Amino acid sequence: MEDTLSVKTNIDRSLLSGWMRPDTYGVSSTHAPDIISIYKLANVLHVTPDFLSGNADEPQETAVSTPRPKNLRDIFALETIALDHIPLDDKRKEKLIEMIYAVFDDN
């Protein structure tokens, strides 16, 4: 399972192995998964990050108290975004999102 998760999340297998061992997990915050890794794993495992991090009891439950990263797509939709003081229209915002996916695609 660790090999599959490693490929799907682009997280090093040795890190996954350490996190999946209850005797080593939680010993040190330097060995605990970071927020990006938790979100990647939750996405692949089809659970919420809250469930995966122990802040929720059910796989699809979210905890109100858990801090959330802001979704860039939501920011683009709700805010006027400018580049070099020139506002971006919806078409250019969508192009930026496509470029971001192309640059950060871990597949």
Side-chain angles (χ1 to χ4, degrees), residues 17-104:
S17 180
W19 297 339
M20 294 174 77
R21 288 198 174 90
D23 56 324
T24 60
Y25 180 75
V27 172
S28 166
S29 62
T30 59
H31 294 99
D34 60 39
I35 191 165
I36 294 171
S37 297
I38 290 172
Y39 271 78
K40 284 180 176 181
L41 287 167
N43 185 50
V44 169
L45 297 172
H46 306 291
V47 299
T48 64
D50 297 321
F51 177 75
L52 196 58
S53 60
N55 294 325
D57 295 327
E58 299 296 324
Q60 300 308 314
E61 182 182 357
T62 57
V64 178
S65 62
T66 304
R68 305 261 178 253
K70 293 184 179 181
N71 187 323
L72 189 56
R73 188 179 294 277
D74 292 341
I75 293 170
F76 278 12
L78 300 173
E79 301 288 333
T80 300
I81 306 293
L83 179 63
D84 293 332
H85 308 286
I86 301 169
L88 302 175
D89 61 16
D90 289 342
K91 184 177 178 181
R92 293 195 188 276
K93 288 177 183 179
E94 192 58 39
K95 187 70 169 175
L96 277 174
I97 289 170
E98 290 171 12
M99 291 169 60
I100 290 168
Y101 273 109
V103 169
F104 293 106

